[in-house]
Amino acid sequence: MTTRNQLPGTIYMNDIVNNITRIRERISKACRDNGRDPGEVKLLLATKTVPPERIKTALQAGHTLIAENKIQELKEKYEALKEIPHTNHFIGHLQTNKVKDLLKYDVSCLQSLDRLELAEKLHQRLLAGHKTLEVLIQVNTSGEESKFGISPDQAGTLVKQVAQLETLKIKGLMTIGLFSADTEQVRKCFRLLKKIQQEILALKVPGVEMQELSMGMSGDLETAIAEGATMVRVGTAIFGQRSTPDSYYWNENAK
Ligand SMILES: *Cc1c(COP(=O)(O)O)cnc(C)c1O
C-alpha cells in the first residue's frame, strides 16, 4: 500500500539505513559461514536510478562507497553529492568517447575495464592530466552475449597489455555473473573469476595487483563471498526495485 510519505515504487529513507544494516549482517554471516573475516569484504552501493537525496541518506549513515553505471547519472548527481565525502567507482559499460567525463567527476576506480582501446584512451587522458586511475578488469564469466566484459581466455592478455600503461593501476577483477535461481550455475561464474585471478597471479605481471574480486549483488552475495569476493555491489536490496530494466545498463543494444 502506498502511504502519504511514500512515493509509489520507493521506500522510506529509514528503510535505506535499515537495509544497509541487514546487508551488512548478510555479509558478516556469509563470512562467518565460510571462515572469512567480515573486514575482508567491502560493500559498494550500486546507485543507478537512485535520486541524490536517497543516496545522501546512505552517505550520511556512513556508507560512502558508491558506483554509477552511466556517465549521465554520475554528472547529474555530482553537485548534490559533492559536499558529502564519498568514494565513486564506475561499474557500467564505458564508451570510449566518455573517458573525459569519467575523469572529470572524481571516479577513483573503473571496475568495468574490458578492452584495450578503452585502456589506451584512458591512458592518454591520464598522462595529459598527470593522474592515475585504479581499474578492475571486467570478465564475462557467464558467456552471455548480453553481458559486457572480456572473455575468460583473453583476460590474462588484457592484463598484460594494460600493465604497460603506467597510469592504470590494476587492482583485480570484476564480474556480473549469471542471473539464475540455480545457485550452482551462479557459483560457477564466481568460481571461474577466482580461477582467472589465480592464473593471472601466476603470470607475475609487474605492477599488477590482483587482490580485489568484485562479485555478488543483492541476490547472490552469499555465493560470491563463499567463492572469494572482496567486494559486493548491492542496489535493489538497499534502495528498492528499479523501474528501468537492467538491460538498459548492461547492453546498449537492448534499449
Ligand atoms: C545494478 C548493478 C548491481 C547491483 O544489482 P542489484 O541486483 O540491484 O543489487 C551490481 N553490479 C552492477 C554492474 C550493476 O549494474
Side-chain angles (χ1 to χ4, degrees):
M1 232 180 70
T2 305
T3 60
R4 200 161 52 91
N5 297 321
Q6 191 183 22
L7 297 169
T10 68
I11 51 175
Y12 292 106
M13 293 299 185
N14 268 346
D15 284 353
I16 292 174
V17 178
N18 292 339
N19 290 344
I20 293 176
T21 305
R22 227 167 285 140
I23 289 292
R24 290 212 179 271
E25 285 165 3
R26 278 176 62 187
I27 293 172
S28 297
K29 178 167 190 311
C31 286
R32 281 197 307 276
D33 289 350
N34 291 281
R36 300 187 59 193
D37 174 358
E40 289 172 26
V41 181
K42 293 185 273 288
L43 170 61
L44 173 142
L45 307 188
T47 53
K48 57 177 179 274
T49 76
V50 180
E53 314 80 68
R54 299 173 65 216
I55 301 174
K56 270 188 187 171
T57 305
L59 296 181
Q60 277 154 352
H63 193 82
T64 55
L65 177 59
I66 62 174
E68 288 292 344
N69 288 64
K70 295 255 179 206
I71 293 292
Q72 186 58 32
E73 282 190 56
L74 182 67
K75 200 186 266 184
E76 282 164 10
K77 300 174 199 178
Y78 182 76
E79 283 301 320
L81 299 180
K82 168 168 105 172
E83 68 216 41
I84 312 173
H86 63 278
T87 304
N88 268 320
H89 285 196
F90 195 82
I91 57 175
H93 180 66
L94 184 64
Q95 289 166 338
T96 311
N97 64 2
K98 298 277 167 67
V99 159
K100 190 171 54 174
D101 291 317
L102 182 85
L103 303 177
K104 195 155 68 188
Y105 297 109
D106 299 336
V107 169
S108 67
C109 179
L110 171 67
Q111 295 203 5
S112 46
L113 183 58
D114 61 355
R115 58 200 194 278
L116 184 60
E117 182 208 12
L118 177 61
E120 285 171 341
K121 270 277 146 50
L122 283 162
H123 178 60
Q124 286 167 14
R125 284 268 165 199
L126 288 161
L127 261 188
H130 306 283
K131 285 187 191 170
T132 61
L133 179 69
E134 294 187 351
V135 296
L136 304 184
I137 303 297
Q138 182 177 359
V139 183
N140 182 346
T141 54
S142 64
E144 296 162 286
E145 276 189 28
S146 61
K147 302 264 170 79
F148 293 107
I150 185 104
S151 70
D153 59 329
Q154 294 296 311
T157 305
L158 183 60
V159 166
K160 283 190 258 178
Q161 289 167 328
V162 173
Q164 305 290 313
L165 309 172
E166 68 276 14
T167 59
L168 297 175
K169 309 292 179 197
I170 301 179
K171 297 290 178 186
L173 306 174
M174 184 271 253
T175 197
I176 294 180
L178 191 71
F179 276 129
S180 167
D182 182 347
T183 306
E184 292 318 303
Q185 294 303 316
V186 178
R187 188 184 305 280
K188 273 187 197 161
C189 298
F190 298 149
R191 205 166 269 179
L192 176 57
L193 197 71
K194 180 77 191 179
K195 178 168 164 269
I196 296 166
Q197 176 198 39
Q198 296 306 309
E199 287 168 359
I200 293 173
L201 278 171
L203 298 174
K204 297 196 192 318
V205 187
V208 170
E209 291 175 36
M210 264 292 131
Q211 75 279 14
E212 210 73 89
L213 282 186
S214 173
M215 56 188 193
M217 319 201 300
S218 293
D220 54 21
L221 67 90
E222 283 83 0
T223 310
I225 289 172
E227 298 304 326
T230 62
M231 187 186 298
V232 293
R233 309 178 307 267
V234 180
T236 314
I238 290 171
F239 297 109
Q241 288 295 332
R242 293 177 290 268
S243 52
T244 318
D246 286 338
S247 57
Y248 172 68
Y249 290 92
W250 290 346
N251 191 342
E252 303 283 305
N253 304 322
K255 272 183 211 170

